[in-house]
Amino acid sequence: MARRARASRSRQAAPVGAPASPYIQRILPFFDVLDDEQLTKLEAQVDWIFEDVGIAFRDDPEALELWRREGARIEGDIVRADAQWIRDLCAKAPRQFTQVARNPERSVVIGGTNQVFAPIYGAPFVRDLEGGRRYGDMDSFEKLVKLAYLHPNLHHTGLVICEPCDVPVSKRHLDMVLAHMTLSDKPHLGAITEMSRAQDSVDMAEILHGRDVMDNNCVIMGNVNTNSPLLVDKVVSEAIRVYCGRGQGIVVVPFILTGAMGPVSTAASVAQAMAEAMMACAYAQLVRPGAPFVLGNFLSSMSLKSGAPTFGMPEPVVSNYAIGQLARRAGLPLRCGGSLTASKTEDAQAAYESADSMHSTMLAGANFVLHAAGWLEGGLATGFEKLIMDADRLGSYQKVLGQGLDISDEAMARDAYGEVAPGGHFLGSAHTMRNYQDAFYEPKLSDSENVESWEEGGSKDMRTRAYDRWNQMLNEYEKPALDPAKEEELAAYVAKRKEQLPDAWY
Amino acid sequence: MARRARASRSRQAAPVGAPASPYIQRILPFFDVLDDEQLTKLEAQVDWIFEDVGIAFRDDPEALELWRREGARIEGDIVRADAQWIRDLCAKAPRQFTQVARNPERSVVIGGTNQVFAPIYGAPFVRDLEGGRRYGDMDSFEKLVKLAYLHPNLHHTGLVICEPCDVPVSKRHLDMVLAHMTLSDKPHLGAITEMSRAQDSVDMAEILHGRDVMDNNCVIMGNVNTNSPLLVDKVVSEAIRVYCGRGQGIVVVPFILTGAMGPVSTAASVAQAMAEAMMACAYAQLVRPGAPFVLGNFLSSMSLKSGAPTFGMPEPVVSNYAIGQLARRAGLPLRCGGSLTASKTEDAQAAYESADSMHSTMLAGANFVLHAAGWLEGGLATGFEKLIMDADRLGSYQKVLGQGLDISDEAMARDAYGEVAPGGHFLGSAHTMRNYQDAFYEPKLSDSENVESWEEGGSKDMRTRAYDRWNQMLNEYEKPALDPAKEEELAAYVAKRKEQLPDAWY
């Protein structure tokens, strides 16, 4: 299907120089790495987990009761079920869906040949060249949301771009959701850490978008991890009920450090990830048939020296390629990878690992890429410079995926060969004059000057240039327009809920 | 063919933990990005260049005479020929061949599903953390050859790992070839800058390998650039006569800065690169049918601000993918890309660009990768730390390509699920105990410690760790054994030729 879609689209490659799309419509074909034998064996393992191993749904009698009523086999809190039935349930989820943004020009399509990039999620620390490493706070949070909003290569702002640790945990979600809704008009996520926080997110989305829009569209999603191996705890099942129950989207992500939360082999961990996420998808479809669902994947390798997770390594690169193909066969939108690294600083290690992780994420066809920019320290810290450096590189991936290789007559440039002799140059040819302005991706942060000019400019490395750039971006930030009545209603909702909720710091 | 090869090999994935192969035997399938329409149009353009545009063979009447005698149409120094004839000539070149090393365990197979990594070639400057940026010299040259020899992820030592600028240009090739032959036992290249220098390289190879071995094997290759656009100057045609005339290999590389030496569109430049290299291949097959030939590709994009070449950008990433597929269809071994960057220093820019350039080179199936490690400044400087950092990452690519996804019963780890409860962990399972030692690629230079341990260790960034590592490697260097009679004969050859040649500095 992908190949057919591309074949028909390659004839009309995306016009170069068109304004950046709110999401990537992929023309480049998918990279299918698995042959029939591999597919058959991996899918048989997934089915074996559904039928024989089972997956626990813990501390949530309501979830177990639904599974029992619908015909699953329950033993303790372990759910086993006929594999074909689970696959049939997953087939009820849409292959692609639109997440509507409050600014309709920024709505994104998730699934199919579309790819959406969002920043880092969940880091307790932040780091920048001036302030060093410190706990995240609301001030950093708002700056980072503004930067994600401003950056043309980020299509979605995620949610926990850093943890605002100066706000009580019990109230933090309100400030975070409000910031995404008011400081940006790109699509974003809602909270999931507790059922009431998910509900607050959905209620605020209803204020922002209106009931009618929300009744008929996905306007917000939750992103939640299973408790691998083989455990879907109530945070997941409750988030599914809140989001999917309201017709909204959910991203469910098995976080598997291979060798710890999954067997020490990549193939087994890939199969386990598929099984956990598909079981959650099946549950979501029981809650509401047709609910938007994104199959998450987060497999990391491990250092044998320290037991710490490692990133950008060959095992997760291969698992990205593989799980892309498996997700397409399952007909489910995919989240995977991102610009991941274990480095503590914005050095070459951070960039090598992030690039290999993201290059494989891109080729995997990941439809929703959280952590596409900003990761440091295995996700413990959001880097201001790292966010801007990664995002600059995302522009390259955007062009690779969205334009592929243009073979229009104009691109074949036959007329230019009438003007240029052997050993000559094409710089002044009519074809070059007609096309040079849109021929090349122009990164903002890569320096291609010669060494003398670079030294005259102060020998700034990429990190220093990124620092300059994010500061300049914040100086130029303007809040996107929002109906004042809606903004007031949102603020009132937050104030009311903050009054109701106790201050809790963990 | 590739897919069949993989299908049969995936059943017996390379045993993990086996000693590093002298080259990569790829199991991962190729990434074919072009559909039939794109292939047809690109190949038609290549044929149009053969037949209508033509390619000049300049300042070399002997080359023109051979073309004329064999039936090409000559106009001035421009050669035009029937496209099918050129393709038939190219089909005489081997799809894969072995370059025999003086240590037979290090011989490499070039072509087919095999991939060989070699370091940077041609930089006049070197750079390291202690000594900064300076002209290359023989001392640096020898250190770099030793490092390339020692590094397990480099399979081939190339030739001009930096320019030894303290030796006259007229004699430099002798010292360089001698260093590769005596300080390393990996395969390497010979000189091409002048016909007599190519001949010296071939003559020295005959001393090293013996006439019999050389009569029946490729033991040395030259690597030479066309003078794009559309110009094969006598440096190329003479190098072909010297190397191929003696049954040795030649790598011919159109260096095309898109927009200058080729039209400003990627598709046209890809077609031009194919046409130039295939025309050189056809000439090589006229000189000696069956001569080992590697089709080179070096397409870079351009900064519109400075006109300088840029690297790791979307246009060369796509051209790598595309040219891989075209080379396989032409049945010719391919050289492309490498770890390329325009950065002046070993910063995140250098690593992002190098990783994206190398990731696409890897996926393109490039059979011989010059510049796989050490590039800085668009190839003007060889970085000691950069060489070691890039090479560390090559180990990851080696595993991705060479192991793919193992789906043996052991990899599926079903027994482990009998030991681990939902929410538990696999760390102590029997399957983990049996497999953990070979489960993960262990990079030498990526730090995955937590931030506290990293700070205690001095907060070293990757560049600093690379500096420590290459110094340690040089301390541990031992010269590989070589028959003293051969070493003496080589030294005598170099001494004699140095006496005969004038000192020329340009």
Side-chain angles (χ1 to χ4, degrees):
Chain A
M1 187 194 75
R3 191 157 276 272
R4 271 206 310 280
R6 179 176 61 88
S8 65
R9 270 153 56 183
S10 69
R11 265 169 234 122
Q12 33 167 351
V16 286
S21 165
Y23 57 96
I24 298 167
Q25 295 167 276
R26 179 177 178 136
I27 284 178
L28 197 78
F30 292 118
F31 181 33
D32 288 338
V33 299
L34 304 174
D35 61 22
D36 288 343
E37 184 192 357
Q38 289 171 310
L39 289 167
T40 303
K41 194 152 179 178
L42 289 165
E43 290 177 348
Q45 178 102 340
V46 173
D47 290 352
W48 172 72
I49 293 175
F50 293 150
E51 299 194 343
D52 291 358
V53 179
I55 288 178
F57 279 68
R58 189 153 293 172
D59 299 329
D60 188 356
E62 186 175 335
L64 284 179
E65 181 47 37
L66 180 59
W67 274 118
R68 181 178 289 116
R69 200 167 63 229
E70 298 286 344
R73 299 190 306 280
I74 312 297
E75 204 172 324
D77 57 11
I78 296 181
V79 179
R80 295 182 181 84
D82 175 71
Q84 191 54 53
W85 179 51
I86 298 297
R87 291 186 178 278
D88 290 344
L89 284 170
C90 289
K92 294 180 193 286
R95 282 176 172 268
Q96 66 177 51
F97 62 91
T98 300
Q99 182 182 353
V100 170
R102 73 163 166 101
N103 174 351
E105 289 179 9
R106 299 199 187 272
S107 297
V108 295
V109 180
I110 294 175
T113 55
N114 307 294
Q115 301 190 233
V116 171
F117 296 157
I120 179 171
Y121 186 109
F125 297 95
V126 295
R127 184 184 151 91
D128 77 81
L129 198 55
E130 196 187 348
R133 185 180 187 271
R134 59 197 186 273
Y135 275 106
D137 58 19
M138 204 61 212
D139 179 59
S140 291
F141 185 93
E142 292 187 345
K143 283 179 178 157
L144 290 163
V145 170
K146 290 175 183 175
L147 291 170
Y149 160 68
L150 287 169
H151 208 292
N153 300 339
L154 290 169
H155 313 113
H156 192 285
T157 57
L159 181 69
V160 191
I161 196 162
C162 73
E163 286 283 354
C165 298
D166 53 345
V167 181
V169 169
S170 52
K171 302 178 174 177
R172 201 176 278 178
H173 65 290
L174 297 163
D175 288 341
M176 290 196 287
V177 171
L178 185 68
H180 281 275
M181 287 180 167
T182 56
L183 300 178
S184 164
D185 62 4
K186 288 183 178 175
H188 60 88
L189 300 171
I192 49 87
T193 43
E194 223 179 53
M195 199 166 183
S196 66
R197 295 174 195 158
Q199 192 60 54
D200 282 334
S201 307
V202 167
D203 291 346
M204 289 173 73
E206 187 162 324
I207 296 172
L208 184 68
H209 294 275
R211 179 171 297 183
D212 278 0
V213 172
M214 198 157 181
D215 282 348
N216 297 298
N217 295 283
C218 170
V219 299
I220 194 165
M221 302 196 297
N223 178 89
V224 62
N225 286 0
T226 62
N227 200 339
S228 303
L230 308 172
L231 176 55
V232 175
D233 63 23
K234 73 169 181 174
V235 173
V236 179
S237 46
E238 289 180 348
I240 287 173
R241 287 205 292 280
V242 172
Y243 283 95
C244 299
R246 187 70 182 88
Q248 303 303 300
I250 193 88
V251 189
V252 178
V253 192
F255 168 62
I256 300 178
L257 172 53
T258 302
M261 294 88 108
V264 78
S265 99
T266 299
S269 292
V270 164
Q272 183 187 314
M274 288 296 296
E276 292 181 13
M278 289 179 75
M279 202 76 174
C281 180
Y283 177 70
Q285 303 309 312
L286 290 178
V287 169
R288 177 153 169 160
F293 184 91
V294 178
L295 182 144
N297 157 47
F298 196 102
L299 264 72
S300 88
S301 45
M302 193 198 292
S303 163
L304 290 182
K305 271 179 287 191
S306 61
T310 55
F311 300 96
M313 295 301 155
E315 302 81 18
V317 163
V318 169
S319 70
N320 277 340
Y321 298 154
I323 214 154
Q325 194 174 352
L326 289 168
R328 286 190 288 283
R329 277 169 61 99
L332 291 172
L334 172 69
R335 179 201 140 184
C336 67
S339 301
L340 310 180
T341 179
S343 184
K344 272 59 68 183
T345 185
E346 306 78 1
D347 65 346
Q349 178 188 342
Y352 281 116
E353 293 177 354
S354 295
D356 279 333
S357 180
M358 190 65 208
H359 202 125
S360 58
T361 294
M362 160 185 89
L363 291 185
N367 303 106
F368 180 62
V369 185
L370 212 55
H371 311 315
W375 248 55
L376 282 171
E377 268 189 57
L380 284 178
T382 301
F384 277 74
E385 289 82 27
K386 182 71 168 23
L387 184 86
I388 297 303
M389 298 192 311
D390 286 336
D392 201 48
R393 297 300 302 165
L394 295 180
S396 173
Y397 300 129
Q398 192 155 0
K399 184 169 180 188
V400 168
L401 294 172
Q403 296 195 9
L405 187 69
D406 177 12
I407 55 152
S408 63
D409 288 345
E410 180 66 4
M412 300 315 285
R414 287 204 176 187
D415 64 297
Y417 287 94
E419 295 179 53
V420 179
H425 66 76
F426 290 81
L427 291 169
S429 74
H431 177 268
T432 301
M433 291 295 106
R434 289 197 304 274
N435 291 286
Y436 76 91
Q437 282 182 308
D438 300 319
F440 303 113
Y441 170 60
E442 284 278 318
K444 302 284 188 221
L445 292 181
S446 276
D447 185 294
S448 58
E449 300 289 310
N450 61 34
V451 70
E452 292 79 13
S453 307
W454 177 73
E455 286 174 350
E456 276 167 30
S459 301
K460 288 185 180 179
D461 67 4
M462 191 188 210
R463 175 168 44 170
T464 311
R465 298 192 297 271
Y467 173 80
D468 294 346
R469 183 156 160 73
W470 71 255
N471 277 284
Q472 185 195 339
M473 287 171 74
L474 284 184
N475 284 338
E476 292 167 3
Y477 171 79
E478 286 178 31
K479 200 172 161 181
L482 174 61
D483 175 358
K486 279 189 182 171
E487 188 156 2
E488 212 168 289
E489 195 179 346
L490 285 167
Y493 182 95
V494 167
K496 184 192 72 185
R497 289 291 290 141
K498 281 189 167 183
E499 267 178 39
Q500 295 168 341
L501 292 166
D503 274 6
W505 287 93
Y506 52 86
Chain B
M1 188 194 72
R3 191 159 276 273
R4 270 208 308 283
R6 178 177 60 88
S8 66
R9 269 152 57 185
S10 69
R11 265 171 233 119
Q12 35 168 347
V16 286
S21 167
Y23 57 95
I24 298 168
Q25 296 167 275
R26 178 178 178 136
I27 283 178
L28 198 79
F30 291 118
F31 181 33
D32 287 339
V33 299
L34 304 173
D35 61 20
D36 287 345
E37 185 192 358
Q38 288 171 310
L39 288 167
T40 303
K41 195 151 177 178
L42 288 165
E43 290 177 348
Q45 178 102 340
V46 173
D47 290 352
W48 172 73
I49 293 175
F50 293 151
E51 298 194 344
D52 291 359
V53 178
I55 288 179
F57 279 68
R58 190 152 294 171
D59 298 330
D60 188 357
E62 187 177 334
L64 284 179
E65 182 47 36
L66 180 58
W67 275 118
R68 182 179 289 114
R69 201 166 62 230
E70 298 284 344
R73 300 189 306 279
I74 313 297
E75 205 173 324
D77 57 12
I78 296 181
V79 179
R80 295 183 181 84
D82 175 69
Q84 191 53 53
W85 179 52
I86 299 297
R87 292 185 177 276
D88 290 345
L89 285 170
C90 288
K92 295 180 193 288
R95 283 177 172 264
Q96 66 177 51
F97 61 91
T98 300
Q99 182 182 354
V100 171
R102 73 163 164 101
N103 174 351
E105 288 180 8
R106 299 198 185 276
S107 297
V108 295
V109 179
I110 295 176
T113 55
N114 307 294
Q115 301 190 236
V116 171
F117 296 157
I120 178 171
Y121 186 109
F125 297 96
V126 295
R127 184 183 151 90
D128 77 81
L129 198 55
E130 195 187 346
R133 184 181 187 272
R134 59 197 186 274
Y135 275 106
D137 58 19
M138 205 60 212
D139 178 59
S140 290
F141 185 93
E142 292 188 346
K143 285 179 178 158
L144 290 163
V145 171
K146 289 175 184 175
L147 291 171
Y149 160 67
L150 286 170
H151 208 293
N153 301 336
L154 291 169
H155 313 113
H156 191 286
T157 57
L159 181 70
V160 192
I161 196 162
C162 73
E163 286 283 354
C165 299
D166 53 345
V167 181
V169 169
S170 52
K171 302 178 175 178
R172 199 175 280 180
H173 64 289
L174 297 163
D175 288 341
M176 291 196 286
V177 172
L178 185 67
H180 282 273
M181 288 179 167
T182 56
L183 301 178
S184 163
D185 62 4
K186 289 182 178 175
H188 61 89
L189 300 170
I192 51 88
T193 44
E194 222 179 54
M195 198 167 183
S196 66
R197 296 174 195 158
Q199 192 61 55
D200 282 334
S201 308
V202 167
D203 292 346
M204 288 173 73
E206 188 162 323
I207 295 171
L208 184 68
H209 294 273
R211 178 172 297 183
D212 278 0
V213 172
M214 198 154 179
D215 282 347
N216 297 298
N217 294 284
C218 170
V219 299
I220 194 165
M221 302 196 295
N223 179 88
V224 62
N225 287 1
T226 63
N227 200 338
S228 303
L230 307 171
L231 176 55
V232 174
D233 62 23
K234 73 170 180 173
V235 173
V236 179
S237 46
E238 289 180 347
I240 288 173
R241 289 205 291 281
V242 173
Y243 283 93
C244 300
R246 187 70 181 87
Q248 304 304 299
I250 194 88
V251 188
V252 178
V253 191
F255 168 63
I256 300 178
L257 172 53
T258 303
M261 295 87 109
V264 78
S265 97
T266 299
S269 291
V270 163
Q272 183 187 314
M274 287 297 295
E276 292 181 12
M278 288 179 75
M279 202 76 173
C281 180
Y283 177 71
Q285 303 309 312
L286 290 177
V287 168
R288 177 153 170 161
F293 184 90
V294 178
L295 182 144
N297 157 47
F298 195 102
L299 265 72
S300 87
S301 45
M302 193 198 290
S303 162
L304 290 181
K305 271 180 285 191
S306 61
T310 56
F311 300 95
M313 295 301 156
E315 303 82 17
V317 163
V318 169
S319 70
N320 276 341
Y321 299 154
I323 214 155
Q325 194 174 353
L326 290 167
R328 285 189 289 281
R329 278 168 61 98
L332 290 172
L334 171 69
R335 179 201 138 183
C336 67
S339 300
L340 310 180
T341 179
S343 183
K344 270 61 67 185
T345 185
E346 305 79 0
D347 65 346
Q349 178 189 342
Y352 281 116
E353 292 176 356
S354 295
D356 279 333
S357 179
M358 190 63 210
H359 202 126
S360 58
T361 294
M362 163 185 87
L363 290 185
N367 303 106
F368 180 61
V369 185
L370 213 53
H371 311 315
W375 248 56
L376 283 172
E377 270 188 56
L380 284 178
T382 301
F384 277 73
E385 289 82 28
K386 182 72 168 23
L387 184 86
I388 298 302
M389 298 192 311
D390 286 337
D392 201 48
R393 296 299 303 165
L394 296 180
S396 173
Y397 299 129
Q398 192 154 1
K399 184 168 181 187
V400 168
L401 295 172
Q403 296 195 8
L405 188 69
D406 177 10
I407 55 152
S408 63
D409 289 343
E410 180 65 6
M412 300 316 285
R414 288 205 176 185
D415 65 298
Y417 288 94
E419 296 178 50
V420 179
H425 66 75
F426 290 81
L427 291 170
S429 75
H431 178 269
T432 301
M433 291 297 105
R434 287 197 306 274
N435 291 286
Y436 77 91
Q437 282 183 308
D438 300 319
F440 303 113
Y441 171 60
E442 283 278 317
K444 301 282 189 224
L445 292 180
S446 275
D447 185 295
S448 59
E449 299 290 310
N450 62 34
V451 71
E452 291 78 14
S453 306
W454 177 73
E455 286 174 349
E456 276 167 28
S459 301
K460 287 184 180 179
D461 67 3
M462 192 189 209
R463 175 169 42 170
T464 312
R465 298 192 297 270
Y467 174 80
D468 294 346
R469 181 156 160 74
W470 70 256
N471 276 283
Q472 185 195 338
M473 287 171 74
L474 285 184
N475 284 337
E476 293 167 1
Y477 171 80
E478 286 179 32
K479 200 172 162 183
L482 176 60
D483 174 359
K486 278 187 182 172
E487 187 156 3
E488 213 167 286
E489 195 178 346
L490 286 167
Y493 182 96
V494 168
K496 184 193 71 187
R497 288 290 292 142
K498 280 190 167 180
E499 266 178 39
Q500 294 168 344
L501 292 165
D503 275 4
W505 287 95
Y506 51 88

